[in-house]
Amino acid sequence: MSQPASIHMGHGQMVDIVTVGPDAWELVFSEAGVAGYKAPPLAEVEVDAIDASGRIHPLAVSAGSNGSRVKASGHVAGAYRARVRVLHGDHFHTRESLLPGAVAIAPAPGPNGGALARFDGGLDIELSWIDPTRWQLAFLRDGKPASAPAPTTVVAQAVGPRAEDYQIRNLATESGSSGETLIVGGKIKDATCARLTVKGVAGEQVRSIPIVPAA
C-alpha cells in the first residue's frame, strides 16, 4: 500500500500516518536531513479520525514505538481522513489528509444540488456555492426546511486540497437571505471539504464533509 505525500506541519516538520492495529495509528514525525527526529511532547499533539459520514472521532495520544512516533488510539475503523494538530510555539498548526490507501469520497447530494452534512436529531445542512467567496448553509429538519440557528452558534472552516500552510481557513458566519439559511464567507475557492460545527444546549456537533466543486 503506497503512502500519500507526507503531511507538512510547518517549519520543516513532516508527519506520516501508519496503521498499527484495528484501533490505532502511529504518527511518524520527521524532518528532511535530520536523523532521529523526535516527536513533540504528547500534550502538544491532537488527532481526529474522520469517517465517511463526516463524523469526527478524537483519538487518545500516547507514546509510540520509538522516539519519532506518537500513537493515536480510538475509533479509527472506517476512517478515510485524519486531522492533525501540533503545537508550534504558542499556537497550533492544523492539517487534514487522506489516510494511506484511502480515496476521496463523493459529496452526499442535497435537495438543491449542494453537499449535505447529516447531524443527529434529524438535522441536515446543505452547503451550496453562492460565489467564489461565499457558501450558503440551508438548514433542514427531517428533510424539510427549518429555521437557521443564530450565526454565532455555527462555525465553518474551508479545507483546501493539500496538507500544508493555510490549508484550513476559518470563515465568517452571517444571516442568510431567508430564515432557513446562513452565509459563510472567506477563502473557499479551492476548498475540497468543509468542517461545520453546530453549538446547542446539549453541546457541539461537528461534521467534516466533501463539497461539490466550484463551478
Side-chain angles (χ1 to χ4, degrees):
M1 184 182 296
S2 61
Q3 288 281 105
S6 298
I7 302 173
H8 297 242
M9 295 305 303
H11 307 299
Q13 186 182 70
M14 312 292 280
V15 170
D16 288 285
I17 297 176
V18 177
T19 299
V20 294
D23 61 356
W25 300 332
E26 279 195 330
L27 277 63
V28 184
F29 287 82
S30 63
E31 183 176 344
V34 178
Y37 185 84
K38 298 298 183 184
L42 299 179
E44 297 181 4
V45 180
E46 298 177 2
V47 189
D48 292 340
I50 303 171
D51 69 23
S53 71
R55 290 180 179 271
I56 311 299
H57 303 281
L59 305 181
V61 174
S62 59
S65 57
N66 63 44
S68 297
R69 298 183 174 221
V70 166
K71 189 175 183 180
S73 305
H75 191 140
V76 302
Y80 83 110
R81 288 171 64 84
R83 183 176 175 104
V84 179
R85 301 180 75 231
V86 177
L87 187 66
H88 284 248
D90 62 354
H91 61 283
F92 277 92
H93 288 193
T94 308
R95 308 284 188 265
E96 285 193 14
S97 176
L98 285 170
L99 293 172
V103 296
I105 62 175
N112 300 302
L116 203 63
R118 295 191 175 279
F119 294 79
D120 296 338
L123 173 66
D124 294 336
I125 301 178
E126 184 178 15
L127 184 153
S128 305
W129 289 88
I130 297 176
D131 56 41
T133 64
R134 294 181 299 163
W135 289 328
Q136 175 179 274
L137 304 181
F139 290 78
L140 303 104
R141 181 77 64 177
D142 298 323
K144 299 178 180 179
S147 297
T152 54
T153 67
V154 177
V155 178
Q157 292 182 327
V159 183
R162 292 174 298 278
E164 59 188 13
D165 287 349
Y166 310 112
Q167 177 207 21
I168 295 173
R169 305 89 184 240
N170 294 321
L171 307 179
T173 306
E174 59 186 43
S175 298
S177 58
S178 73
E180 294 81 34
T181 63
L182 296 176
I183 293 172
V184 295
K187 187 177 180 182
I188 62 173
K189 189 173 182 181
D190 69 336
T192 56
C193 293
R195 184 179 174 102
L196 303 175
T197 301
V198 179
K199 304 175 184 178
V201 293
E204 295 183 351
Q205 292 192 63
V206 188
R207 299 291 184 269
S208 178
I209 61 164
I211 62 172
V212 176

